[in-house]
Amino acid sequence: MPKLKTHKGAKARIHITGSGKMLRRKRMSSHLRRKKPTKVTRKYSDKMEVAAADVPRLRKLIPYG
């Protein structure tokens, strides 16, 4: 059986924790940031858990995660 290739775009965007959870960054964090309140821009540093419906699809993209 050949090795599976990792999807590099998914690898760069998804962080897998030691327990196996998949985390992602929040959207709209880089563009037009000056207009947004400080409270909003501060929340962009937090990571969110990936929705349960998306996990099986992302597991295929990152097989050795």
Side-chain angles (χ1 to χ4, degrees), residues 31-60:
H31 191 59
L32 299 174
R33 212 165 185 184
R34 287 177 299 171
K35 294 181 182 180
K36 294 173 181 147
T38 310
K39 189 191 287 186
V40 171
T41 57
R42 197 179 311 118
K43 297 209 178 219
Y44 286 134
S45 62
D46 300 338
K47 289 189 176 179
M48 298 178 66
E49 197 169 344
V50 171
D54 295 328
V55 169
R57 182 171 51 87
L58 292 171
R59 288 259 180 241
K60 289 177 187 170

Side-chain angles (χ1 to χ4, degrees), residues 3-32:
K3 291 192 280 187
L4 298 171
K5 289 201 170 186
T6 299
H7 189 282
K8 298 297 184 175
K11 183 184 167 195
R13 289 173 172 86
I14 304 295
H15 175 247
I16 299 173
T17 63
S19 62
K21 280 190 214 170
M22 299 181 111
L23 301 177
R24 65 171 179 85
R25 291 189 52 165
K26 294 192 175 184
R27 66 186 184 94
M28 303 194 36
S29 63
S30 63
H31 191 59
L32 299 174

